[in-house]
Amino acid sequence: MSRRRPGSSPGKRSSRGKPLLLVAMALVVAAAIGVGLSAVRSPQRGTAGQPVEAFTHIHGLEVAPWAPRQVFLATHLGLIVIDEAGAWAVVSEEAHDLMGFRTHPSQEGVLYASGHPAPGSGVANPVGFRLSRDGGRTWESLSLEGVADFHAMAADHRDGRVIYGWNVGRDPGFYRSGDGGQTWERLDGLDPAVVGGVFAVAVHPDDPNRVLAGTEVGIVESLDAGGSWRSLLAGYPVTSIAWAPDGGLLAYLAHPDGGLVVSLDHGASWTSLSLILQNDAVAHIAPHPADPEVLYVGTFGETLLRTTDGGRAWELLAQGGVPLEAPQPVAPGG
C-alpha cells in the first residue's frame, strides 16, 4: 500500500475544532447503542437476490479471501453483497440485524454474525453467535442465543477457530472462543470503566493470541489472548482497526487531528492516508486480502468509500445509505 505524509503522528487539522469531534462521536455512540441514523430515509428493501436501492446502517464490512471480487456489507436489515461490476444485491432470506460480522478466513461461504432477530423469525433476542454456511443466505444459531450481542468481533486469520467478541448484551464484556464459536469464555482483563466502549477488534495475522481493540480512549493490545491489556495508542477515540495484507495496522482516529492512519511498526509511528471525515467517523475498515492498494471503509453515517491506490485518492460508492450509480471522486482530505 502506498503511503503519504510520513511522520510520527497524524497531521493536525485543528481548524475543524471540537464541533467535528462532538458530532462524529455522537454518530458513533448512536450507532453503538442502536439508535437509528436513517429516520429521514426509506429503509433497505427487498428479498434475497433483489437489487438494493437503499440500506440502513453499516454494521460490518469485509472482503473475504475466498471471494476477493465481492464486498460483504452487514446491515441493520440483513446482508448485502456488492459484485465486481458494482451491482448491489440482498443476500439474506431474513432481515436479521447483523451487528457483529466476520467472514471465515478460508472456508468458502462461511460467515459469522451476531445482533438482533428479524421480526417474526422466532429467534431469541439477542441472537447470540450465528453461523452461515451458504454465503449469508441462511443462518443457524451456534451459541449464546439470548445472551450475547457482539457489536465487535474478530477471528484468527488461519482457520477461524479463535474468535473474539465484545458483548453489549447480557453479562457484557470481552469474550473468547477457541473452537469456532461453539463455546465461549468471558475474560475480565478489559475493563469497561477504563476503556469505555469497544468499537472494533482485530487479531494479528500471524498470532491468534495477539489481539487489539479500538476503544473510546485509544488502541489497547493483548499478547495473551485477551487475558491482560496494555495501551498502544492513547488520547484518541479509535472507531475502527484492521490489519492490511502487507502487515500495516490501519485505524481510524475520531478526532480532527486524526482520521484514517496506518502504522508499519506496530503503533510506534503513524502515517495519514488522507481521509479525515467531517461530521462522521469510519466504523469499519475492509482491506483487500490480496491487493494492499485496495481498501474499503464504511462510516457511521452510512457512507461507503474505496481507494485503489493505497489512499492517495478516494471514491464514494454509497452516501447516506444510498448506493451510487457510479463511483464519485472524493476531494483530498475527505
Side-chain angles (χ1 to χ4, degrees):
M1 179 179 289
S2 300
R3 312 298 179 197
R4 299 193 72 190
R5 301 193 306 195
S8 60
S9 62
K12 286 191 175 183
R13 292 293 187 91
S14 59
S15 61
R16 298 186 180 183
K18 291 186 178 180
L20 166 60
L21 175 61
L22 294 175
V23 173
M25 290 310 297
L27 283 166
V28 169
V29 173
I33 63 176
V35 175
L37 301 175
S38 308
V40 298
R41 177 176 47 73
S42 297
Q44 172 183 323
R45 301 182 186 279
T47 56
Q50 292 189 346
V52 175
E53 296 182 359
F55 61 90
T56 304
H57 303 177
I58 298 176
H59 289 162
L61 186 65
E62 291 258 0
V63 182
W66 41 265
R69 297 180 179 177
Q70 297 179 333
V71 180
F72 288 95
L73 189 72
T75 78
H76 186 68
L77 296 172
L79 187 64
I80 292 169
V81 166
I82 309 168
D83 67 19
E84 60 181 323
W88 296 54
V90 176
V91 176
S92 306
E93 291 186 350
E94 293 184 298
H96 299 296
D97 182 4
L98 305 179
M99 291 299 303
F101 176 78
R102 288 291 180 180
T103 60
H104 194 282
S106 59
Q107 294 182 18
E108 184 173 356
V110 176
L111 311 172
Y112 304 135
S114 189
H116 307 282
S121 65
V123 179
N125 186 21
V127 301
F129 182 76
R130 308 203 88 201
L131 181 73
S132 175
R133 305 179 191 273
D134 54 14
R137 186 174 62 85
T138 61
W139 296 85
E140 60 184 273
S141 295
L142 197 62
S143 58
L144 299 180
E145 188 172 353
V147 176
D149 177 12
F150 292 125
H151 278 207
M153 292 197 305
D156 77 78
H157 294 248
R158 298 180 299 187
D159 58 14
R161 291 186 61 80
V162 177
I163 306 169
Y164 299 92
W166 178 256
N167 176 31
V168 301
R170 207 168 74 206
D171 198 13
F174 196 73
Y175 285 65
R176 179 186 183 274
S177 173
D179 55 12
Q182 297 182 66
T183 61
W184 295 81
E185 177 186 8
R186 187 185 181 281
L187 306 172
D188 295 326
L190 195 59
D191 187 354
V194 175
V195 301
V198 172
F199 300 119
V201 181
V203 180
H204 192 279
D206 300 321
D207 184 356
N209 292 322
R210 194 173 188 176
V211 58
L212 302 171
T215 78
E216 291 183 15
V217 298
I219 300 175
V220 292
E221 178 185 41
S222 173
L223 303 179
D224 57 4
S228 60
W229 297 81
R230 65 182 185 181
S231 177
L232 189 67
L233 172 68
Y236 297 92
V238 176
T239 57
S240 190
I241 52 176
W243 288 98
D246 62 357
L249 175 59
L250 297 153
Y252 190 84
L253 315 184
H255 191 279
D257 296 343
L260 188 64
V261 296
V262 63
S263 175
L264 297 178
D265 51 17
H266 200 72
S269 62
W270 298 87
T271 301
S272 173
L273 292 182
S274 300
L275 186 70
I276 302 177
L277 302 177
Q278 300 186 56
N279 305 324
D280 201 354
V282 169
H284 301 282
I285 303 171
H288 192 280
D291 188 346
E293 298 289 292
V294 177
L295 180 67
Y296 296 83
V297 300
T299 80
F300 291 101
E302 299 169 325
T303 291
L304 181 64
L305 302 105
R306 174 180 64 189
T307 180
T308 58
D309 60 7
R312 290 188 298 274
W314 292 86
E315 55 188 1
L316 279 172
L317 303 182
Q319 190 169 26
V322 178
L324 303 183
E325 293 184 3
Q328 300 293 323
V330 177

